[in-house]
């Protein structure tokens, strides 16, 4: 199974901003126990690279990727640390080219048809739709998807347990990203039991939507 198929299988990608890599192991345990052995560790903090190293060595079964990757150097650091995929908020050609040259699955962010065209030009057809809620939410994604039936989206930005169902029902959506499962403060305050519960609740929503066809 490809990395992107694995992401699709999970249905939700926890987006993580972590300030201290010492929290990474308990975070990983909460996500795995909650039923989502998957995380996008954002390069918004200095701890990102070390956190990826901790997660990949402590939880080999976990699919760990890097988010908010804006430069080739960050992509290199992420992959060196064990990241199996790279996500960016926008379409950054050098990052995309580096990932393609190194067989690293890359999911650039797009918000407009023009940006989708740029990604398609690189042969990419699984794209992050960001910022999903602010860009018009599931209805915008439905409208865009009508023009791009072969593109698959991972909407991210403003998604939580309250609107997850709306996005999962969009036919072109393979998974949703979001920080609501493992919010920065929950990690910083050591509230891993809550992260586990939020994760389990998200898994239940994915299962319910998929069971209903
Ligand atoms: C991202 O980096 O993908 C977004 O900031 C996550 O958006 P959210 O915090 O609204 O879930």
């Amino acid at each position: 199974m490809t990395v992107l198929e694995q992401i699709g299988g999970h249905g939700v990608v926890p987006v993580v901003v972590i300030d201290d890599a010492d929290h990474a192991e308990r975070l990983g345990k909460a996500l795995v126990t909650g039923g989502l052995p998957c995380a996008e560790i954002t390069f918004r903090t200095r701890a990102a690279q070390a956190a990826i190293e901790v997660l990949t060595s402590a939880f080999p079964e976990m699919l760990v990727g890097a988010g908010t990757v804006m430069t080739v150097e960050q992509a290199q650091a992420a992959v060196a640390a064990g990241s199996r995929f790279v996500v960016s908020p926008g379409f950054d050609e050098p990052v995309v080219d580096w990932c393609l040259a190194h067989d690293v699955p890359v999911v650039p962010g797009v918000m407009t048809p023009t940006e989708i065209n740029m990604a398609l030009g690189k042969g990419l057809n699984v794209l992050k739709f960001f910022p999903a809620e602010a860009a018009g939410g599931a209805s915008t994604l439905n409208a865009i998807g009508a023009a791009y039936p072969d593109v698959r989206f991972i909407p991210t930005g403003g998604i939580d347990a309250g609107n997850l169902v709306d996005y999962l029902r969009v036919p072109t959506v393979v998974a949703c990203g979001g920080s609501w499962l493992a919010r920065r403060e929950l990690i910083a305050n050591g509230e891993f039991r809550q992260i586990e519960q939020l994760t389990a609740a998200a898994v239940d929503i994915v299962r319910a939507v998929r069971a209903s066809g």
Side-chain angles (χ1 to χ4, degrees):
M1 207 192 295
T2 67
V3 164
L4 294 175
E5 285 167 352
Q6 288 178 52
I7 290 174
H10 293 309
V12 170
V13 180
V15 175
V16 173
V17 181
I18 186 165
D19 292 294
D20 183 346
D22 285 348
H23 292 140
E25 193 161 341
R26 276 173 297 162
L27 168 67
K29 185 163 182 291
L31 294 174
V32 170
T33 310
L36 271 181
C38 177
E40 174 190 323
I41 307 297
T42 59
F43 266 67
R44 290 180 213 172
T45 63
R46 285 164 181 246
Q49 190 174 354
I52 291 168
E53 279 165 10
V54 170
L55 287 173
T56 52
S57 73
F59 304 96
E61 75 279 23
M62 204 170 167
L63 180 63
V64 182
T68 325
V69 174
M70 313 277 206
T71 65
V72 169
E73 290 71 25
Q74 286 175 332
Q76 287 168 329
V79 171
S83 281
R84 306 210 8 241
F85 62 94
V86 163
V87 181
S88 302
F91 180 89
D92 184 275
E93 193 168 23
V95 168
V96 166
D97 286 345
W98 185 86
C99 289
L100 289 173
H102 293 83
D103 285 329
V104 177
V106 57
V107 184
V110 298
M111 201 176 85
T112 66
T114 302
E115 293 153 2
I116 296 170
N117 293 344
M118 289 161 71
L120 285 173
K122 297 286 181 187
L124 301 174
N125 61 0
V126 179
L127 308 173
K128 169 173 170 162
F129 178 59
F130 177 79
E133 272 294 280
S139 65
T140 299
L141 203 43
N142 268 315
I144 291 176
Y148 295 95
D150 297 330
V151 176
R152 293 291 170 268
F153 293 98
I154 303 175
T156 307
I159 300 180
D160 59 24
N163 58 14
L164 177 60
V165 170
D166 301 336
Y167 285 95
L168 291 175
R169 287 204 176 122
V170 177
T172 55
V173 166
V174 285
C176 294
S179 63
W180 86 95
L181 308 164
R183 289 198 318 275
R184 187 174 192 163
E185 321 79 71
L186 292 180
I187 300 170
N189 296 336
E191 296 180 62
F192 297 103
R193 179 78 190 131
Q194 197 179 338
I195 292 173
E196 184 186 320
Q197 287 166 350
L198 289 163
T199 302
V203 170
D204 284 346
I205 292 171
V206 173
R207 284 204 187 116
V209 171
R210 293 187 171 172
S212 71

